[in-house]
Amino acid sequence: MIVVATSDFEVYHGVVNELRDRGTAFTTVEPDEELPERTTVVVTGTDDADSFPGVTTIVADPDDPRRAVDQAMATIRGGGGRTIIGVDPGQKPGIAVLSGETIVAAFQVPLGDAVDVVQREVAEAPSPVVRIGDGSRLEGARLITDLGDVRVELVDETGTTPYLGTGSRGMGDVLAAVNIAHREGEVVDAREIEPTEGEIQVIKDRSREQSDGNRAIDDVLARRVATGELSIDEALVEHRDDGTGSPSESTDMDDSGES
């Protein structure tokens, strides 16, 4: 049984709403009341943190009740093991957060936000591991580099994307991330990638789409983007500051050089 016992209204409101949204069984008591016999974990605020000796107590941050609920649910389900984060890389990576065998959170965010999400989820976790699929080579390499000191495993993601039935559109990357989290991989500090001509062209095409003047960055800048040295936005700034490229140079051409 999860018991919410706090005199902090913000903590109470945030935690109770989070538990209700998940359909989780819980009860509430005043901090000075006797706890129910079936109490497994108490969620409370800073003011009452020392009021429940002998019982697993989780102190909730009023600005982040979800984390406290994640910890409480992992405790009652026996999933108090390490935090494992699976990532299906891409332009909008799927991210799944597991505590033991329990899925406690899932996200799909733009690539530029993925590192912040992962680092937030591992910030207070003991011995966390991040497992990244080996597809989408360039995006995966960028994530591995940017995660810094976090333990990262590169996972064979073959067969991790499940069949999606009617009404499940958009869930594939997140479900793949769950499957990736369940696979052990090779520990890596970095992933050296030599971008192919096709990957360079894709980056140039994306830069054209993101530019104000329909201008694509050159091969040198595209390669720096591919290796994670620059973002496309940063490459566009350098492209503009260098004065390279012109509207005529950036018009779409086919392989023969004709517009």
Side-chain angles (χ1 to χ4, degrees):
M1 172 71 73
I2 295 175
V3 178
V4 181
T6 178
S7 56
D8 186 320
F9 175 77
E10 287 188 51
V11 168
Y12 176 90
H13 183 74
V15 170
V16 166
N17 282 345
E18 186 73 26
L19 288 165
R20 285 174 177 164
D21 287 346
R22 301 191 190 197
T24 303
F26 69 97
T27 190
T28 64
V29 299
E30 293 296 327
D32 56 355
E33 292 180 359
E34 186 175 348
L35 295 174
E37 289 185 6
R38 295 171 53 215
T39 301
T40 303
V41 57
V42 174
V43 182
T44 188
T46 304
D47 293 344
D48 304 301
D50 300 323
S51 300
F52 312 99
V55 179
T56 300
T57 302
I58 295 171
V59 178
D61 181 343
D63 295 325
D64 190 12
R66 182 185 67 79
R67 184 176 293 277
V69 172
D70 288 347
Q71 294 172 334
M73 292 179 67
T75 299
I76 64 172
R77 293 177 180 175
R82 77 190 314 182
T83 295
I84 301 174
I85 298 182
V87 182
D88 183 30
Q91 285 301 301
K92 291 190 68 176
I95 301 171
V97 184
L98 279 64
S99 180
E101 293 298 316
T102 302
I103 303 168
V104 296
F107 308 89
Q108 186 165 25
V109 298
L111 180 61
D113 298 332
V115 169
D116 288 341
V117 170
V118 172
Q119 289 180 332
R120 185 181 70 231
E121 294 300 316
V122 302
E124 299 176 8
S127 303
V129 59
V130 180
R131 291 174 175 163
I132 298 178
D134 62 357
S136 299
R137 304 183 321 142
L138 300 182
E139 291 85 353
R142 176 177 169 186
L143 291 172
I144 292 169
T145 299
D146 291 349
L147 281 170
D149 295 334
V150 179
R151 177 187 171 97
V152 176
E153 295 179 6
L154 188 64
V155 173
D156 178 2
E157 65 175 55
T158 304
T160 55
T161 301
Y163 166 76
L164 298 178
T166 303
S168 56
R169 182 180 179 183
M171 296 175 57
D173 294 333
V174 172
L175 293 175
V178 173
N179 289 331
I180 288 168
H182 281 114
R183 293 188 180 182
E184 292 188 5
E186 178 186 354
V187 178
V188 293
D189 295 322
R191 190 180 188 192
E192 298 296 331
I193 294 294
E194 178 60 33
T196 65
E197 291 184 9
E199 289 168 334
I200 292 293
Q201 187 59 51
V202 167
I203 292 171
K204 292 171 69 175
D205 291 343
R206 287 178 183 158
S207 72
R208 186 193 308 281
E209 293 170 0
Q210 293 180 216
S211 71
D212 294 331
N214 192 35
R215 296 182 177 182
I217 59 177
D218 59 28
D219 285 2
V220 173
L221 288 172
R223 187 172 297 275
R224 291 174 66 189
V225 172
T227 57
E229 183 181 346
L230 296 174
S231 68
I232 288 180
D233 287 339
E234 290 168 341
L236 283 167
V237 170
E238 287 203 18
H239 184 66
R240 183 178 64 245
D241 290 346
D242 289 345
T244 56
S246 66
S248 60
E249 290 175 330
S250 59
T251 54
D252 291 318
M253 294 185 177
D254 60 24
D255 293 338
S256 66
E258 296 178 353
S259 299

